Amino acid sequence: MQPIRLGLVGYGKIAQDQHVPAIQANPAFQLVAVATQGQPCAGVENFRSLGELLENGPQVDAIAFCTPPQGRFALVQQALAAGKHVLVEKPPCATLGEAMALVEQVREQGVSGLFAWHSRYAPGIEAARDWLASRTLHSVQIDWKEDVRKWHPGQAWIWQPGGLGVFDPGINALSIATHLLALPLFVESAELRVPDNCQSPIAASIKMADARHLDVRAEFDFDHGHDELWSIEIRCAEGVLRLDNGGALLSIDGVRQAVSEEGEYAAVYRHFQQLVNDKASDMDLQPLRLVADSFFVGSRMAVEPFYD
């Protein structure tokens, strides 16, 4: 079988650290072109824009998008209009409406689409999901705290409208929780803490529930000055399940469990390969909807200015 010829749009930190190594390690894909306005990608043809890539570049079957969410909608639309399969890095768009429109356009074009909620592919997630399937859940506590200066140095777009602020990492936790839980979640209340000189929150507290009134709470912090805290603890009648290190570690009642050895982005691209082969799509909107609802119902508290 011929490999899927892949184009990549955006060659920043996430593309360099995660996407390109995962693509190059998977023989089902061949990276043939990159569109970037920054540092070029070695070993492939580079173009200044997606339009230039589509018009003058090598033939591609699919395109992966690693640009910031603001402005991404029009780029993905352009690729879909050209009949390309699309993989879209999280968060897929700057607004829920844009993401919904992409779901519909993928369906109309008859191609495959993937909103790449990469944290769902962390090593412990599927084992956790299997264990939870037959348990009676009582409560969920999410703590997702990291230092923006470490993970997004100098990336001002995060603090601009549409940049999501602390929800840029927080949406990873929401993507895991919504994958683990059987019923949809709804935001009951939120407190968003916004620096005086920014448009997006640097921290947030969220209270959610499902139709059975499961108590789900999340604490997000993007100015966490020490080791990252990426944990989800789920209390059940039958025991306590805990995911740490963003889902890389799984324990039940304090006992470490065996998990997958496959990395997140390796699993993302394996899934994308299967979707293309099956002529299917996976474009879940629930994590982005929870973020949108948090902004919609959340109270805002001004906090001290943030400087990178």
mmCIF file with all atom_site columns, all heavy atoms in Angstrom, residues 112-134:
data_model
loop_
_atom_site.group_PDB
_atom_site.id
_atom_site.type_symbol
_atom_site.label_atom_id
_atom_site.label_alt_id
_atom_site.label_comp_id
_atom_site.label_asym_id
_atom_site.label_entity_id
_atom_site.label_seq_id
_atom_site.pdbx_PDB_ins_code
_atom_site.Cartn_x
_atom_site.Cartn_y
_atom_site.Cartn_z
_atom_site.occupancy
_atom_site.B_iso_or_equiv
_atom_site.pdbx_formal_charge
_atom_site.auth_seq_id
_atom_site.auth_comp_id
_atom_site.auth_asym_id
_atom_site.auth_atom_id
_atom_site.pdbx_PDB_model_num
ATOM 1   N N   . SER A 1 112 ? -11.759 12.476 5.173  1.00 0.00 ? 112 SER A N   1
ATOM 2   C CA  . SER A 1 112 ? -11.605 12.148 6.593  1.00 0.00 ? 112 SER A CA  1
ATOM 3   C C   . SER A 1 112 ? -11.078 13.353 7.356  1.00 0.00 ? 112 SER A C   1
ATOM 4   O O   . SER A 1 112 ? -10.206 14.083 6.868  1.00 0.00 ? 112 SER A O   1
ATOM 5   C CB  . SER A 1 112 ? -10.638 10.975 6.765  1.00 0.00 ? 112 SER A CB  1
ATOM 6   O OG  . SER A 1 112 ? -11.179 9.799  6.205  1.00 0.00 ? 112 SER A OG  1
ATOM 7   N N   . GLY A 1 113 ? -11.604 13.558 8.561  1.00 0.00 ? 113 GLY A N   1
ATOM 8   C CA  . GLY A 1 113 ? -11.152 14.639 9.417  1.00 0.00 ? 113 GLY A CA  1
ATOM 9   C C   . GLY A 1 113 ? -10.894 14.142 10.824 1.00 0.00 ? 113 GLY A C   1
ATOM 10  O O   . GLY A 1 113 ? -11.611 13.264 11.319 1.00 0.00 ? 113 GLY A O   1
ATOM 11  N N   . LEU A 1 114 ? -9.876  14.684 11.452 1.00 0.00 ? 114 LEU A N   1
ATOM 12  C CA  . LEU A 1 114 ? -9.558  14.342 12.840 1.00 0.00 ? 114 LEU A CA  1
ATOM 13  C C   . LEU A 1 114 ? -9.249  15.623 13.612 1.00 0.00 ? 114 LEU A C   1
ATOM 14  O O   . LEU A 1 114 ? -8.333  16.372 13.247 1.00 0.00 ? 114 LEU A O   1
ATOM 15  C CB  . LEU A 1 114 ? -8.351  13.406 12.917 1.00 0.00 ? 114 LEU A CB  1
ATOM 16  C CG  . LEU A 1 114 ? -7.814  13.115 14.322 1.00 0.00 ? 114 LEU A CG  1
ATOM 17  C CD1 . LEU A 1 114 ? -8.863  12.423 15.184 1.00 0.00 ? 114 LEU A CD1 1
ATOM 18  C CD2 . LEU A 1 114 ? -6.539  12.283 14.257 1.00 0.00 ? 114 LEU A CD2 1
ATOM 19  N N   . PHE A 1 115 ? -10.027 15.883 14.671 1.00 0.00 ? 115 PHE A N   1
ATOM 20  C CA  . PHE A 1 115 ? -9.644  16.894 15.644 1.00 0.00 ? 115 PHE A CA  1
ATOM 21  C C   . PHE A 1 115 ? -8.740  16.169 16.642 1.00 0.00 ? 115 PHE A C   1
ATOM 22  O O   . PHE A 1 115 ? -9.181  15.297 17.384 1.00 0.00 ? 115 PHE A O   1
ATOM 23  C CB  . PHE A 1 115 ? -10.863 17.477 16.348 1.00 0.00 ? 115 PHE A CB  1
ATOM 24  C CG  . PHE A 1 115 ? -11.687 18.410 15.494 1.00 0.00 ? 115 PHE A CG  1
ATOM 25  C CD1 . PHE A 1 115 ? -12.969 18.774 15.880 1.00 0.00 ? 115 PHE A CD1 1
ATOM 26  C CD2 . PHE A 1 115 ? -11.185 18.932 14.306 1.00 0.00 ? 115 PHE A CD2 1
ATOM 27  C CE1 . PHE A 1 115 ? -13.732 19.646 15.096 1.00 0.00 ? 115 PHE A CE1 1
ATOM 28  C CE2 . PHE A 1 115 ? -11.935 19.802 13.521 1.00 0.00 ? 115 PHE A CE2 1
ATOM 29  C CZ  . PHE A 1 115 ? -13.212 20.162 13.922 1.00 0.00 ? 115 PHE A CZ  1
ATOM 30  N N   . ALA A 1 116 ? -7.466  16.538 16.651 1.00 0.00 ? 116 ALA A N   1
ATOM 31  C CA  . ALA A 1 116 ? -6.451  15.738 17.343 1.00 0.00 ? 116 ALA A CA  1
ATOM 32  C C   . ALA A 1 116 ? -6.350  16.110 18.822 1.00 0.00 ? 116 ALA A C   1
ATOM 33  O O   . ALA A 1 116 ? -5.442  16.843 19.229 1.00 0.00 ? 116 ALA A O   1
ATOM 34  C CB  . ALA A 1 116 ? -5.097  15.908 16.650 1.00 0.00 ? 116 ALA A CB  1
ATOM 35  N N   . TRP A 1 117 ? -7.280  15.601 19.613 1.00 0.00 ? 117 TRP A N   1
ATOM 36  C CA  . TRP A 1 117 ? -7.206  15.770 21.061 1.00 0.00 ? 117 TRP A CA  1
ATOM 37  C C   . TRP A 1 117 ? -6.127  14.825 21.580 1.00 0.00 ? 117 TRP A C   1
ATOM 38  O O   . TRP A 1 117 ? -6.397  13.730 22.067 1.00 0.00 ? 117 TRP A O   1
ATOM 39  C CB  . TRP A 1 117 ? -8.557  15.460 21.698 1.00 0.00 ? 117 TRP A CB  1
ATOM 40  C CG  . TRP A 1 117 ? -9.686  16.304 21.179 1.00 0.00 ? 117 TRP A CG  1
ATOM 41  C CD1 . TRP A 1 117 ? -10.749 15.878 20.420 1.00 0.00 ? 117 TRP A CD1 1
ATOM 42  C CD2 . TRP A 1 117 ? -9.879  17.716 21.369 1.00 0.00 ? 117 TRP A CD2 1
ATOM 43  N NE1 . TRP A 1 117 ? -11.579 16.933 20.128 1.00 0.00 ? 117 TRP A NE1 1
ATOM 44  C CE2 . TRP A 1 117 ? -11.076 18.082 20.690 1.00 0.00 ? 117 TRP A CE2 1
ATOM 45  C CE3 . TRP A 1 117 ? -9.157  18.713 22.031 1.00 0.00 ? 117 TRP A CE3 1
ATOM 46  C CZ2 . TRP A 1 117 ? -11.555 19.393 20.678 1.00 0.00 ? 117 TRP A CZ2 1
ATOM 47  C CZ3 . TRP A 1 117 ? -9.634  20.007 22.011 1.00 0.00 ? 117 TRP A CZ3 1
ATOM 48  C CH2 . TRP A 1 117 ? -10.822 20.330 21.354 1.00 0.00 ? 117 TRP A CH2 1
ATOM 49  N N   . HIS A 1 118 ? -4.872  15.252 21.481 1.00 0.00 ? 118 HIS A N   1
ATOM 50  C CA  . HIS A 1 118 ? -3.751  14.329 21.670 1.00 0.00 ? 118 HIS A CA  1
ATOM 51  C C   . HIS A 1 118 ? -3.683  13.727 23.066 1.00 0.00 ? 118 HIS A C   1
ATOM 52  O O   . HIS A 1 118 ? -3.206  12.597 23.232 1.00 0.00 ? 118 HIS A O   1
ATOM 53  C CB  . HIS A 1 118 ? -2.426  15.019 21.326 1.00 0.00 ? 118 HIS A CB  1
ATOM 54  C CG  . HIS A 1 118 ? -2.094  16.184 22.210 1.00 0.00 ? 118 HIS A CG  1
ATOM 55  N ND1 . HIS A 1 118 ? -1.497  16.035 23.436 1.00 0.00 ? 118 HIS A ND1 1
ATOM 56  C CD2 . HIS A 1 118 ? -2.273  17.523 22.046 1.00 0.00 ? 118 HIS A CD2 1
ATOM 57  C CE1 . HIS A 1 118 ? -1.320  17.221 23.988 1.00 0.00 ? 118 HIS A CE1 1
ATOM 58  N NE2 . HIS A 1 118 ? -1.785  18.137 23.166 1.00 0.00 ? 118 HIS A NE2 1
ATOM 59  N N   . SER A 1 119 ? -4.177  14.440 24.075 1.00 0.00 ? 119 SER A N   1
ATOM 60  C CA  . SER A 1 119 ? -4.085  13.898 25.432 1.00 0.00 ? 119 SER A CA  1
ATOM 61  C C   . SER A 1 119 ? -4.947  12.653 25.627 1.00 0.00 ? 119 SER A C   1
ATOM 62  O O   . SER A 1 119 ? -4.704  11.870 26.543 1.00 0.00 ? 119 SER A O   1
ATOM 63  C CB  . SER A 1 119 ? -4.470  14.972 26.448 1.00 0.00 ? 119 SER A CB  1
ATOM 64  O OG  . SER A 1 119 ? -3.501  15.996 26.494 1.00 0.00 ? 119 SER A OG  1
ATOM 65  N N   . ARG A 1 120 ? -5.947  12.460 24.772 1.00 0.00 ? 120 ARG A N   1
ATOM 66  C CA  . ARG A 1 120 ? -6.749  11.237 24.846 1.00 0.00 ? 120 ARG A CA  1
ATOM 67  C C   . ARG A 1 120 ? -5.932  9.991  24.504 1.00 0.00 ? 120 ARG A C   1
ATOM 68  O O   . ARG A 1 120 ? -6.367  8.869  24.786 1.00 0.00 ? 120 ARG A O   1
ATOM 69  C CB  . ARG A 1 120 ? -7.926  11.325 23.876 1.00 0.00 ? 120 ARG A CB  1
ATOM 70  C CG  . ARG A 1 120 ? -8.998  12.291 24.321 1.00 0.00 ? 120 ARG A CG  1
ATOM 71  C CD  . ARG A 1 120 ? -10.161 12.314 23.356 1.00 0.00 ? 120 ARG A CD  1
ATOM 72  N NE  . ARG A 1 120 ? -11.265 13.124 23.885 1.00 0.00 ? 120 ARG A NE  1
ATOM 73  C CZ  . ARG A 1 120 ? -12.393 13.367 23.233 1.00 0.00 ? 120 ARG A CZ  1
ATOM 74  N NH1 . ARG A 1 120 ? -12.566 12.893 22.007 1.00 0.00 ? 120 ARG A NH1 1
ATOM 75  N NH2 . ARG A 1 120 ? -13.336 14.098 23.792 1.00 0.00 ? 120 ARG A NH2 1
ATOM 76  N N   . TYR A 1 121 ? -4.761  10.203 23.913 1.00 0.00 ? 121 TYR A N   1
ATOM 77  C CA  . TYR A 1 121 ? -3.932  9.086  23.477 1.00 0.00 ? 121 TYR A CA  1
ATOM 78  C C   . TYR A 1 121 ? -2.768  8.849  24.432 1.00 0.00 ? 121 TYR A C   1
ATOM 79  O O   . TYR A 1 121 ? -1.865  8.065  24.134 1.00 0.00 ? 121 TYR A O   1
ATOM 80  C CB  . TYR A 1 121 ? -3.411  9.353  22.060 1.00 0.00 ? 121 TYR A CB  1
ATOM 81  C CG  . TYR A 1 121 ? -4.519  9.595  21.066 1.00 0.00 ? 121 TYR A CG  1
ATOM 82  C CD1 . TYR A 1 121 ? -5.044  10.866 20.876 1.00 0.00 ? 121 TYR A CD1 1
ATOM 83  C CD2 . TYR A 1 121 ? -5.066  8.542  20.336 1.00 0.00 ? 121 TYR A CD2 1
ATOM 84  C CE1 . TYR A 1 121 ? -6.080  11.090 19.982 1.00 0.00 ? 121 TYR A CE1 1
ATOM 85  C CE2 . TYR A 1 121 ? -6.103  8.754  19.439 1.00 0.00 ? 121 TYR A CE2 1
ATOM 86  C CZ  . TYR A 1 121 ? -6.605  10.041 19.267 1.00 0.00 ? 121 TYR A CZ  1
ATOM 87  O OH  . TYR A 1 121 ? -7.635  10.261 18.378 1.00 0.00 ? 121 TYR A OH  1
ATOM 88  N N   . ALA A 1 122 ? -2.777  9.503  25.595 1.00 0.00 ? 122 ALA A N   1
ATOM 89  C CA  . ALA A 1 122 ? -1.752  9.255  26.604 1.00 0.00 ? 122 ALA A CA  1
ATOM 90  C C   . ALA A 1 122 ? -1.805  7.782  27.030 1.00 0.00 ? 122 ALA A C   1
ATOM 91  O O   . ALA A 1 122 ? -2.866  7.145  26.970 1.00 0.00 ? 122 ALA A O   1
ATOM 92  C CB  . ALA A 1 122 ? -1.953  10.178 27.805 1.00 0.00 ? 122 ALA A CB  1
ATOM 93  N N   . PRO A 1 123 ? -0.687  7.229  27.457 1.00 0.00 ? 123 PRO A N   1
ATOM 94  C CA  . PRO A 1 123 ? -0.592  5.775  27.681 1.00 0.00 ? 123 PRO A CA  1
ATOM 95  C C   . PRO A 1 123 ? -1.634  5.173  28.607 1.00 0.00 ? 123 PRO A C   1
ATOM 96  O O   . PRO A 1 123 ? -2.061  4.028  28.407 1.00 0.00 ? 123 PRO A O   1
ATOM 97  C CB  . PRO A 1 123 ? 0.824   5.615  28.252 1.00 0.00 ? 123 PRO A CB  1
ATOM 98  C CG  . PRO A 1 123 ? 1.595   6.734  27.632 1.00 0.00 ? 123 PRO A CG  1
ATOM 99  C CD  . PRO A 1 123 ? 0.632   7.886  27.575 1.00 0.00 ? 123 PRO A CD  1
ATOM 100 N N   . GLY A 1 124 ? -2.076  5.911  29.653 1.00 0.00 ? 124 GLY A N   1
ATOM 101 C CA  . GLY A 1 124 ? -2.989  5.303  30.617 1.00 0.00 ? 124 GLY A CA  1
ATOM 102 C C   . GLY A 1 124 ? -4.464  5.469  30.324 1.00 0.00 ? 124 GLY A C   1
ATOM 103 O O   . GLY A 1 124 ? -5.306  4.915  31.048 1.00 0.00 ? 124 GLY A O   1
ATOM 104 N N   . ILE A 1 125 ? -4.814  6.187  29.250 1.00 0.00 ? 125 ILE A N   1
ATOM 105 C CA  . ILE A 1 125 ? -6.211  6.587  29.067 1.00 0.00 ? 125 ILE A CA  1
ATOM 106 C C   . ILE A 1 125 ? -7.130  5.407  28.758 1.00 0.00 ? 125 ILE A C   1
ATOM 107 O O   . ILE A 1 125 ? -8.205  5.265  29.358 1.00 0.00 ? 125 ILE A O   1
ATOM 108 C CB  . ILE A 1 125 ? -6.326  7.660  27.970 1.00 0.00 ? 125 ILE A CB  1
ATOM 109 C CG1 . ILE A 1 125 ? -5.485  8.887  28.331 1.00 0.00 ? 125 ILE A CG1 1
ATOM 110 C CG2 . ILE A 1 125 ? -7.786  8.041  27.759 1.00 0.00 ? 125 ILE A CG2 1
ATOM 111 C CD1 . ILE A 1 125 ? -5.807  9.523  29.646 1.00 0.00 ? 125 ILE A CD1 1
ATOM 112 N N   . GLU A 1 126 ? -6.764  4.562  27.825 1.00 0.00 ? 126 GLU A N   1
ATOM 113 C CA  . GLU A 1 126 ? -7.670  3.474  27.449 1.00 0.00 ? 126 GLU A CA  1
ATOM 114 C C   . GLU A 1 126 ? -7.854  2.467  28.573 1.00 0.00 ? 126 GLU A C   1
ATOM 115 O O   . GLU A 1 126 ? -8.959  1.954  28.784 1.00 0.00 ? 126 GLU A O   1
ATOM 116 C CB  . GLU A 1 126 ? -7.186  2.791  26.169 1.00 0.00 ? 126 GLU A CB  1
ATOM 117 C CG  . GLU A 1 126 ? -7.397  3.629  24.927 1.00 0.00 ? 126 GLU A CG  1
ATOM 118 C CD  . GLU A 1 126 ? -8.831  4.144  24.782 1.00 0.00 ? 126 GLU A CD  1
ATOM 119 O OE1 . GLU A 1 126 ? -9.763  3.341  24.929 1.00 0.00 ? 126 GLU A OE1 1
ATOM 120 O OE2 . GLU A 1 126 ? -9.003  5.356  24.531 1.00 0.00 ? 126 GLU A OE2 1
ATOM 121 N N   . ALA A 1 127 ? -6.789  2.176  29.313 1.00 0.00 ? 127 ALA A N   1
ATOM 122 C CA  . ALA A 1 127 ? -6.922  1.265  30.454 1.00 0.00 ? 127 ALA A CA  1
ATOM 123 C C   . ALA A 1 127 ? -7.839  1.880  31.514 1.00 0.00 ? 127 ALA A C   1
ATOM 124 O O   . ALA A 1 127 ? -8.657  1.178  32.127 1.00 0.00 ? 127 ALA A O   1
ATOM 125 C CB  . ALA A 1 127 ? -5.546  0.966  31.045 1.00 0.00 ? 127 ALA A CB  1
ATOM 126 N N   . ALA A 1 128 ? -7.724  3.194  31.720 1.00 0.00 ? 128 ALA A N   1
ATOM 127 C CA  . ALA A 1 128 ? -8.612  3.871  32.666 1.00 0.00 ? 128 ALA A CA  1
ATOM 128 C C   . ALA A 1 128 ? -10.054 3.810  32.191 1.00 0.00 ? 128 ALA A C   1
ATOM 129 O O   . ALA A 1 128 ? -10.976 3.555  32.981 1.00 0.00 ? 128 ALA A O   1
ATOM 130 C CB  . ALA A 1 128 ? -8.166  5.326  32.828 1.00 0.00 ? 128 ALA A CB  1
ATOM 131 N N   . ARG A 1 129 ? -10.254 4.041  30.920 1.00 0.00 ? 129 ARG A N   1
ATOM 132 C CA  . ARG A 1 129 ? -11.617 4.022  30.369 1.00 0.00 ? 129 ARG A CA  1
ATOM 133 C C   . ARG A 1 129 ? -12.240 2.636  30.522 1.00 0.00 ? 129 ARG A C   1
ATOM 134 O O   . ARG A 1 129 ? -13.421 2.515  30.872 1.00 0.00 ? 129 ARG A O   1
ATOM 135 C CB  . ARG A 1 129 ? -11.575 4.424  28.897 1.00 0.00 ? 129 ARG A CB  1
ATOM 136 C CG  . ARG A 1 129 ? -12.928 4.749  28.306 1.00 0.00 ? 129 ARG A CG  1
ATOM 137 C CD  . ARG A 1 129 ? -12.783 5.096  26.846 1.00 0.00 ? 129 ARG A CD  1
ATOM 138 N NE  . ARG A 1 129 ? -13.997 5.702  26.319 1.00 0.00 ? 129 ARG A NE  1
ATOM 139 C CZ  . ARG A 1 129 ? -14.331 5.717  25.039 1.00 0.00 ? 129 ARG A CZ  1
ATOM 140 N NH1 . ARG A 1 129 ? -13.533 5.152  24.147 1.00 0.00 ? 129 ARG A NH1 1
ATOM 141 N NH2 . ARG A 1 129 ? -15.441 6.294  24.640 1.00 0.00 ? 129 ARG A NH2 1
ATOM 142 N N   . ASP A 1 130 ? -11.465 1.605  30.280 1.00 0.00 ? 130 ASP A N   1
ATOM 143 C CA  . ASP A 1 130 ? -11.976 0.240  30.419 1.00 0.00 ? 130 ASP A CA  1
ATOM 144 C C   . ASP A 1 130 ? -12.380 -0.052 31.864 1.00 0.00 ? 130 ASP A C   1
ATOM 145 O O   . ASP A 1 130 ? -13.430 -0.649 32.118 1.00 0.00 ? 130 ASP A O   1
ATOM 146 C CB  . ASP A 1 130 ? -10.922 -0.767 29.958 1.00 0.00 ? 130 ASP A CB  1
ATOM 147 C CG  . ASP A 1 130 ? -10.700 -0.742 28.453 1.00 0.00 ? 130 ASP A CG  1
ATOM 148 O OD1 . ASP A 1 130 ? -11.546 -0.185 27.730 1.00 0.00 ? 130 ASP A OD1 1
ATOM 149 O OD2 . ASP A 1 130 ? -9.663  -1.264 28.006 1.00 0.00 ? 130 ASP A OD2 1
ATOM 150 N N   . TRP A 1 131 ? -11.550 0.385  32.812 1.00 0.00 ? 131 TRP A N   1
ATOM 151 C CA  . TRP A 1 131 ? -11.845 0.124  34.227 1.00 0.00 ? 131 TRP A CA  1
ATOM 152 C C   . TRP A 1 131 ? -13.096 0.875  34.664 1.00 0.00 ? 131 TRP A C   1
ATOM 153 O O   . TRP A 1 131 ? -13.933 0.354  35.416 1.00 0.00 ? 131 TRP A O   1
ATOM 154 C CB  . TRP A 1 131 ? -10.647 0.525  35.085 1.00 0.00 ? 131 TRP A CB  1
ATOM 155 C CG  . TRP A 1 131 ? -10.758 0.114  36.515 1.00 0.00 ? 131 TRP A CG  1
ATOM 156 C CD1 . TRP A 1 131 ? -10.423 -1.082 37.061 1.00 0.00 ? 131 TRP A CD1 1
ATOM 157 C CD2 . TRP A 1 131 ? -11.259 0.915  37.604 1.00 0.00 ? 131 TRP A CD2 1
ATOM 158 N NE1 . TRP A 1 131 ? -10.674 -1.091 38.413 1.00 0.00 ? 131 TRP A NE1 1
ATOM 159 C CE2 . TRP A 1 131 ? -11.190 0.126  38.769 1.00 0.00 ? 131 TRP A CE2 1
ATOM 160 C CE3 . TRP A 1 131 ? -11.751 2.217  37.696 1.00 0.00 ? 131 TRP A CE3 1
ATOM 161 C CZ2 . TRP A 1 131 ? -11.600 0.599  40.024 1.00 0.00 ? 131 TRP A CZ2 1
ATOM 162 C CZ3 . TRP A 1 131 ? -12.166 2.691  38.941 1.00 0.00 ? 131 TRP A CZ3 1
ATOM 163 C CH2 . TRP A 1 131 ? -12.080 1.892  40.087 1.00 0.00 ? 131 TRP A CH2 1
ATOM 164 N N   . LEU A 1 132 ? -13.245 2.099  34.220 1.00 0.00 ? 132 LEU A N   1
ATOM 165 C CA  . LEU A 1 132 ? -14.371 2.936  34.642 1.00 0.00 ? 132 LEU A CA  1
ATOM 166 C C   . LEU A 1 132 ? -15.709 2.481  34.059 1.00 0.00 ? 132 LEU A C   1
ATOM 167 O O   . LEU A 1 132 ? -16.767 2.795  34.621 1.00 0.00 ? 132 LEU A O   1
ATOM 168 C CB  . LEU A 1 132 ? -14.129 4.386  34.233 1.00 0.00 ? 132 LEU A CB  1
ATOM 169 C CG  . LEU A 1 132 ? -13.019 5.122  35.002 1.00 0.00 ? 132 LEU A CG  1
ATOM 170 C CD1 . LEU A 1 132 ? -12.693 6.435  34.301 1.00 0.00 ? 132 LEU A CD1 1
ATOM 171 C CD2 . LEU A 1 132 ? -13.435 5.372  36.447 1.00 0.00 ? 132 LEU A CD2 1
ATOM 172 N N   . ALA A 1 133 ? -15.679 1.751  32.962 1.00 0.00 ? 133 ALA A N   1
ATOM 173 C CA  . ALA A 1 133 ? -16.909 1.409  32.242 1.00 0.00 ? 133 ALA A CA  1
ATOM 174 C C   . ALA A 1 133 ? -17.917 0.657  33.105 1.00 0.00 ? 133 ALA A C   1
ATOM 175 O O   . ALA A 1 133 ? -19.132 0.801  32.929 1.00 0.00 ? 133 ALA A O   1
ATOM 176 C CB  . ALA A 1 133 ? -16.570 0.590  30.994 1.00 0.00 ? 133 ALA A CB  1
ATOM 177 N N   . SER A 1 134 ? -17.428 -0.118 34.074 1.00 0.00 ? 134 SER A N   1
ATOM 178 C CA  . SER A 1 134 ? -18.346 -0.925 34.895 1.00 0.00 ? 134 SER A CA  1
ATOM 179 C C   . SER A 1 134 ? -18.412 -0.427 36.337 1.00 0.00 ? 134 SER A C   1
ATOM 180 O O   . SER A 1 134 ? -18.884 -1.152 37.219 1.00 0.00 ? 134 SER A O   1
ATOM 181 C CB  . SER A 1 134 ? -17.891 -2.390 34.877 1.00 0.00 ? 134 SER A CB  1
ATOM 182 O OG  . SER A 1 134 ? -16.567 -2.515 35.376 1.00 0.00 ? 134 SER A OG  1
#
